[in-house]
Amino acid sequence: MNAPQKALRRYVPILDWGRTYTKSALSNDLIAAVIVTIMLIPQSLAYALLAGLPPEAGLYASIVPILLYAIFGTSRSLAVGPVAVVSLLTASAVGQVAEQGTAGYAVAALTLAFMSGGFLMLMGVLRLGLLANFLSHPVIAGFITASGILIATSQLKHILGIDAHGHTLPEMVMSILSHLPQLNWITVTIGVFATMFLFWVRVSLKPTLRALRVPALLADVLTKAGPVAAVVATTVCVWAFDLAGQGVKIVGSVPQSLPPLTMPGFSLDLVNALLVPAILISVIGFVESVSVAQTLAAKKRQRIDPDQELIGLGAANLGAAFTGGYPVTGGFARSVVNFDAGAETPAAGAFTAIGLAIAAMALTPLVYFLPNATLAATIIVAVLGLVDLSILKKTWDYSRADFAAVAATIVLTLGLGVEVGVASGVVLSVVLHLYKTSKPHVAEVGLVPDTQHFRNILRHDVLSDPTVVTLRVDESLYFVNARFLEDLVQNRVTDGSTVRHVVLMFSAVNEVDFSALESLETINRRLADMCIGLHLSEVKGPVMDRLTRSHFLEELNGHVFLSQYDAWIRLSPSTTPDVAA
């Protein structure tokens, strides 16, 4: 295979897995597609409602984007489409530039999808998938938990049948309380019934069916169809008893068509207003998507390419921008369902898209009387699974710094909104990393008797020499922690010390930046003035290459040893043949 063919197959993975597609894979993909399609029909309508868009936008965002991801994505199980967190971010961002229900609002959502797709594609081409690492897991967990609480709270207005608003938790709660006199009891009955039913379906239906000896596949399909049953039942009730005339808000007319060709807006003011939200949505969506994709791929000993995932998700978002959708990403729940249903290739997603296209063409008139309360119940039940307050206890027990990051992210997201929450999460992730590495663990080590191994003198019974100090540096050295090492060495060799040699054991050092190099030079000069030798041991090749390109090694008043044991033998006057055995 020549280089152009390899490059083409890398950027268009369907050319790779499509060559070995089998009838067995086709059968499994079709079954998975049926199950996921049943699940996605009410979910897509509901997430469009959460994003402040017409319900058909959810269906449109689940058709062409899935097809494009099937061509360009590398995950065999990831199901792409609208998700709760991205829908909330969309509503927050677009709501600041246009009024909900207007043409400008829809155009802004298309523009947001276009910008997110472009940013993801650019990152993929530049192979910048590693940028997602700037969001630490505790911060992501805190943001998703807070987002789940915000999303569930935002849907209470539909359950109660009132007109409330707000982008933060205090705003939402105050608005709901102030509008309680408008409460519609028929809507409340429908909303509470739908919510309780969906919770029961989620928790108890499958075990009940299995107890009744229903085949596993059928039990799984019926469980995933639970939201459809709630949609059908409540829609029939609203239609039969004319509940819309009694104040129950319904979906109303939904266009009966395939996704239309649409055009994002490119005005400079709109692009400037949506630039930061587009970047945040791209990063959050990518992190969520790639985490799910890697987890599912590992279960089948498969691999994904994070950089190609950026291209696949970018293509999906660009597709949404030109076909009436809004920003999309890989969803956890639907991807797990896709995986559990036996999907073997991305073709399962393509078949799902076909199923949703059929639904958009044939089934949309049937949802005219669908109450908004049912869609709100679908969202609430789905997003409460995202809320994991146990992360607070886990991080408190493990790391107070991580706990502070989680707690701050949750509080800021709930109190100031999702965009502030995401931005603060990125900042907190970086600050947390800088804090943890600003004071690296440095252990003074000694020789374990009858071995050539060195361990912390405070943890193990080891041999040491008062004239030789060996400090094992357990972190790369850079501008944040360079001064810390200077002070630590200075404190160790002063105050009546008999030290004649200091050895810096670099076995865990992967990088020494220029600031750290200057600190090493300072340490070398100070020790030379005190007639103390500075030595290095177990320096890794890339670090040694960097040091060789500087004047440091020429000015070093000691030696560089291949191993710490060599340094011990050479420098310790107390070394004897018996000890060194």
Side-chain angles (χ1 to χ4, degrees):
M1 185 185 300
N2 56 40
Q5 288 178 322
K6 288 183 178 179
L8 186 61
R9 285 175 60 177
R10 177 189 175 277
Y11 286 107
V12 189
I14 192 174
L15 299 178
D16 188 17
W17 60 262
R19 294 171 61 252
T20 58
Y21 199 63
T22 63
K23 289 184 178 179
S24 174
L26 172 64
S27 175
N28 290 334
D29 286 344
L30 284 171
I31 293 173
V34 170
I35 295 174
V36 175
T37 301
I38 292 172
M39 173 186 178
L40 276 185
I41 292 174
Q43 197 177 78
S44 297
L45 298 172
Y47 287 154
L49 179 71
L50 175 59
L53 292 164
E56 64 269 18
L59 289 175
Y60 297 159
S62 301
I63 298 175
V64 173
I66 298 179
L67 290 173
L68 289 172
Y69 180 81
I71 296 172
F72 295 103
T74 61
S75 172
R76 302 294 180 98
S77 304
L78 192 69
V80 172
V83 300
V85 174
V86 171
S87 297
L88 178 64
L89 287 167
T90 299
S92 175
V94 177
Q96 296 178 21
V97 298
E99 184 178 348
Q100 186 174 326
T102 65
Y105 191 95
V107 171
L110 297 174
T111 306
L112 190 62
F114 177 82
M115 294 174 66
S116 297
F119 184 69
L120 288 165
M121 289 283 282
L122 180 63
M123 288 177 63
V125 171
L126 297 178
R127 305 183 69 82
L128 296 178
L130 55 87
L131 290 180
N133 297 334
F134 283 97
L135 277 173
S136 69
H137 175 72
V139 166
I140 294 173
F143 171 72
I144 291 178
T145 292
S147 297
I149 295 172
L150 283 178
I151 292 169
T153 305
S154 73
Q155 297 308 297
L156 289 178
K157 63 182 181 182
H158 298 296
I159 298 291
L160 301 175
I162 60 178
D163 293 321
H165 60 273
H167 295 291
T168 67
L169 187 62
E171 289 177 355
M172 291 179 188
V173 172
M174 293 303 296
S175 183
I176 289 172
L177 292 176
S178 65
H179 287 83
L180 279 181
Q182 303 173 3
L183 186 145
N184 184 295
W185 285 105
I186 299 177
T187 302
V188 171
T189 302
I190 293 173
V192 171
F193 164 79
T195 303
M196 292 176 60
F197 174 75
L198 291 174
F199 268 119
W200 175 79
V201 166
R202 187 168 194 164
V203 175
S204 303
L205 180 57
K206 189 171 183 178
T208 301
L209 293 174
R210 294 296 292 143
L212 296 174
R213 298 188 178 183
V214 175
L217 179 60
L218 179 58
D220 195 47
V221 172
L222 291 175
T223 300
K224 300 301 183 296
V228 176
V231 166
V232 172
T234 55
T235 301
V236 169
C237 286
V238 171
W239 168 75
F241 298 104
D242 190 24
L243 299 181
Q246 301 179 50
V248 175
K249 294 182 179 180
I250 59 175
V251 168
S253 179
V254 177
Q256 189 175 0
S257 68
L258 291 173
L261 290 177
T262 53
M263 182 62 66
F266 298 106
S267 72
L268 189 59
D269 290 341
L270 182 60
V271 170
N272 286 337
L274 296 178
L275 180 59
V276 173
I279 294 174
L280 295 177
I281 286 175
S282 301
V283 173
I284 289 293
F286 173 65
V287 169
E288 180 178 354
S289 179
V290 80
S291 298
V292 175
Q294 287 176 332
T295 299
L296 297 180
K299 292 183 178 181
K300 289 188 176 181
R301 297 191 177 185
Q302 298 168 347
R303 64 176 297 275
I304 67 165
D305 181 351
D307 294 316
Q308 183 61 30
E309 284 298 290
L310 284 165
I311 293 176
L313 292 172
N317 277 279
L318 291 176
F322 291 102
T323 56
Y326 66 97
V328 299
T329 192
F332 176 76
R334 72 185 61 158
S335 297
V336 171
V337 169
N338 199 35
F339 178 87
D340 291 341
E344 290 193 22
T345 72
F351 296 141
T352 299
I354 294 172
L356 291 170
I358 294 172
M361 285 288 293
L363 302 181
T364 49
L366 302 179
V367 300
Y368 182 90
F369 289 101
L370 172 60
N372 289 343
T374 302
L375 294 179
T378 302
I379 294 173
I380 290 173
V381 173
V383 301
L384 286 183
L386 301 176
V387 178
D388 179 20
L389 294 176
S390 67
I391 190 69
L392 291 170
K393 182 180 185 305
K394 292 175 182 175
T395 52
W396 176 264
D397 292 339
Y398 187 78
S399 168
R400 300 299 163 83
D402 284 331
F403 169 80
V406 172
T409 302
I410 291 176
V411 170
L412 289 172
T413 302
L414 294 178
L416 300 178
V418 289
E419 290 185 12
V420 174
V422 177
S424 64
V426 174
V427 173
L428 284 171
S429 295
V430 174
V431 170
L432 187 62
H433 170 73
L434 295 177
Y435 172 77
K436 288 180 176 178
T437 57
S438 65
K439 296 182 178 180
H441 181 259
V442 179
E444 185 170 341
V445 298
L447 178 67
V448 178
D450 301 322
T451 73
Q452 295 184 13
H453 300 291
F454 290 78
R455 292 294 183 268
N456 193 328
I457 63 173
L458 300 178
R459 294 176 179 269
H460 301 275
D461 186 13
V462 294
L463 300 174
S464 61
D465 189 310
T467 65
V468 179
V469 171
T470 298
L471 300 174
R472 189 190 67 216
V473 184
D474 293 336
E475 182 67 65
S476 290
L477 297 175
Y478 69 120
F479 65 95
V480 171
N481 58 26
R483 184 61 182 270
F484 173 82
L485 183 63
E486 283 186 44
D487 295 340
L488 188 146
V489 172
Q490 184 73 13
N491 293 335
R492 181 60 183 83
V493 299
T494 53
D495 297 330
S497 171
T498 59
V499 175
R500 294 175 54 198
H501 300 282
V502 172
V503 184
L504 297 181
M505 186 175 173
F506 270 25
S507 54
V509 176
N510 297 314
E511 176 74 21
V512 175
D513 77 355
F514 192 77
S515 297
L517 175 64
E518 291 185 331
S519 288
L520 290 176
E521 292 172 343
T522 299
I523 293 171
N524 183 56
R525 286 195 300 271
R526 289 176 180 173
L527 293 181
D529 291 341
M530 291 186 264
C531 299
I532 298 175
L534 175 64
H535 312 270
L536 304 181
S537 72
E538 303 191 8
V539 183
K540 293 182 177 180
V543 176
M544 194 65 181
D545 292 340
R546 285 281 187 88
L547 295 179
T548 302
R549 293 200 294 268
S550 72
H551 297 291
F552 174 72
L553 295 180
E554 298 174 8
E555 299 170 357
L556 184 67
N557 66 358
H559 302 280
V560 178
F561 295 97
L562 183 64
S563 71
Q564 178 55 35
Y565 185 71
D566 291 340
W568 171 266
I569 292 294
R570 177 79 173 274
L571 302 175
S572 177
S574 61
T575 301
T576 65
D578 292 335
V579 173

